[in-house]
């Protein structure tokens, strides 16, 4: 169900809509319940601010961070843009490389047997442990964050692409060959559509991992970005500011997830989980 149709149904018949979609009430209800209990416990038991700030103080920290001018490095705006640039850049390059290499590996069995042990071995390395090497090799600037973000994005796209291309039914390929289709036509008309749902599943994971990679890079050696803000706020014991920054990161992750799902509904509209939205 599209958001436009959902809003229209809520206006016309809210009771029926909430009866069919109870999560529309439960999601905000859980949020406000948790925040209310959190606020009460912090105030009632006088929990120190440096240990657990009240939600009202976190909201105040958010307001202070967004109330400053756009170009002020002390606010959130510039740091959000920088982190988003790192995240989206790493996501783009990591996705492209992962999909292309996954396509080649799925096509040639010898390439898979040769490269996969190295790829899996490299993926198992703790990224926090090798992040300092990227800072040494690529410097404190943007490049090291892009490389780390792309590296975290790469593996989910690689694995999902391989699985997607290899899961194509042999009967469909045989049918295309009986119709005198060449290898490119088989790839474009059969294998790629079959792999797209898997690729989008990898994109959803890769979007989250790309944001994690950008933040880890900023932790290790950044000058600008939300990760840098978290480190600076930790040093001055501004825990409310840390929570506020974490909320911003959560919102960015949710927005990336929603954006990819929206694109998936347009591109892979024929997949079973999207059939009900056709024509809505």
């Amino acid at each position: 169900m599209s958001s436009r149709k959902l809003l229209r149904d809520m206006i016309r018949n809210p009771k029926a809509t909430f009866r069919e979609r109870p999560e529309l009430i439960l999601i905000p209800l859980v949020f406000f319940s948790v925040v209310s209990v959190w606020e009460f416990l912090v105030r009632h038991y006088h929990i120190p601010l440096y240990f657990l700030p009240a939600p009202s103080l976190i909201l105040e920290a958010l307001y202070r961070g967004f109330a400053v001018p756009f170009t002020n490095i002390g606010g959130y705006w510039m740091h959000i843009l920088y982190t988003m640039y790192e995240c989206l850049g790493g996501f783009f390059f990591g996705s492209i490389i992962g999909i292309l290499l996954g396509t080649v590996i799925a096509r040639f069995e010898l390439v898979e047997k040769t490269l996969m042990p190295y790829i899996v071995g490299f993926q198992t390395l703790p990224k926090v442990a090798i992040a300092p090497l990227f800072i040494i090799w690529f410097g404190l600037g943007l490049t090291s964050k892009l490389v780390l973000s792309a590296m975290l994005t790469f593996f989910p796209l690689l694995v999902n692409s391989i699985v997607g291309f290899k899961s194509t039914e042999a009967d469909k390929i045989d049918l295309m060959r009986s119709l005198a289709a060449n290898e490119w036509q088989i790839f474009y008309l059969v294998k790629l559509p079959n792999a797209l749902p898997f690729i989008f599943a990898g994109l959803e994971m890769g979007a989250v991992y790309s944001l994690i990679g950008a933040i880890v890079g900023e932790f290790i050696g950044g000058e600008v970005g939300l990760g840098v803000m978290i480190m600076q706020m930790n040093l001055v014991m501004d825990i409310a500011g840390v929570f506020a920054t974490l909320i911003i990161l959560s919102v960015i992750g949710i927005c990336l997830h929603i954006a990819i799902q929206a694109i998936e509904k347009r591109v892979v509209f024929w997949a079973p989980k999207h059939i009900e939205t056709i024509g809505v």
Side-chain angles (χ1 to χ4, degrees):
M1 181 182 295
S2 67
S3 57
R4 184 183 304 174
K5 184 177 185 299
L6 178 61
L7 181 60
R8 187 166 60 245
D9 291 343
M10 288 178 63
I11 296 174
R12 291 177 178 175
N13 194 348
K15 291 184 178 180
T17 303
F18 290 135
R19 189 163 48 249
E20 295 175 1
R21 301 281 301 275
E23 68 273 14
L24 296 176
I25 295 179
L26 292 176
I27 291 175
L29 181 62
V30 170
F31 173 78
F32 287 114
S33 298
V34 171
V35 169
S36 300
V37 173
W38 181 356
E39 182 81 23
F40 170 77
L41 293 176
V42 170
R43 300 291 183 181
H44 182 74
Y45 291 102
H46 305 288
I47 298 177
L49 299 180
Y50 63 82
F51 184 78
L52 183 65
S56 56
L57 295 178
I58 299 173
L59 183 62
E60 183 180 333
L62 280 170
Y63 175 78
R64 288 198 310 268
F66 284 113
V68 300
F70 190 85
T71 56
N72 191 329
I73 198 67
Y76 285 122
W77 296 110
M78 292 297 293
H79 294 280
I80 290 174
L81 287 178
Y82 197 83
T83 298
M84 285 296 297
Y85 190 74
E86 296 168 348
C87 169
L88 294 177
F91 176 70
F92 175 78
F93 289 111
S95 299
I96 294 297
I97 296 173
I99 293 172
L100 291 178
L101 186 57
T103 304
V104 173
I105 288 177
R107 177 67 178 83
F108 302 102
E109 185 177 356
L110 180 60
V111 177
E112 178 182 7
K113 292 180 178 179
T114 304
L115 295 183
M116 281 305 291
Y118 297 101
I119 294 172
V120 173
F122 184 74
Q123 180 63 20
T124 57
L125 293 175
K127 302 308 178 291
V128 177
I130 61 178
L133 291 175
F134 291 150
I135 301 300
I136 295 173
W137 293 338
F138 302 106
L140 295 173
L142 180 66
T143 305
S144 58
K145 318 305 183 303
L146 285 174
V147 172
L148 186 57
S149 179
M151 186 180 67
L152 286 178
T153 306
F154 163 78
F155 196 72
L157 268 301
L158 174 70
V159 173
N160 281 38
S161 299
I162 294 173
V163 173
F165 286 119
K166 282 194 165 188
S167 65
T168 306
E169 296 178 12
D171 291 343
K172 294 181 179 179
I173 298 177
D174 293 339
L175 175 61
M176 292 295 294
R177 285 175 177 162
S178 68
L179 297 173
N182 55 38
E183 289 298 322
W184 167 249
Q185 290 173 323
I186 293 174
F187 172 81
Y188 181 74
L189 296 175
V190 178
K191 291 185 177 181
L192 181 59
N194 185 81
L196 279 177
F198 295 88
I199 291 174
F200 272 100
L203 288 173
E204 291 184 22
M205 292 187 293
V208 176
Y209 290 154
S210 66
L211 183 58
I212 294 174
I215 297 301
V216 169
E218 292 170 359
F219 280 167
I220 302 300
E223 298 174 333
V224 188
L226 294 175
V228 176
M229 288 199 77
I230 292 176
M231 298 294 290
Q232 292 173 345
M233 290 173 177
N234 267 322
L235 290 175
V236 298
M237 299 299 290
D238 183 9
I239 307 304
V242 172
F243 272 84
T245 309
L246 293 176
I247 290 174
I248 294 173
L249 288 172
S250 298
V251 172
I252 292 174
I254 292 171
C255 290
L256 290 174
H257 179 75
I258 292 174
I260 292 174
Q261 283 194 330
I263 297 173
E264 182 182 7
K265 287 181 180 180
R266 296 287 183 245
V267 176
V268 199
F269 57 87
W270 40 262
K273 67 177 182 178
H274 299 311
I275 289 177
E276 63 179 14
T277 66
I278 296 177
V280 175

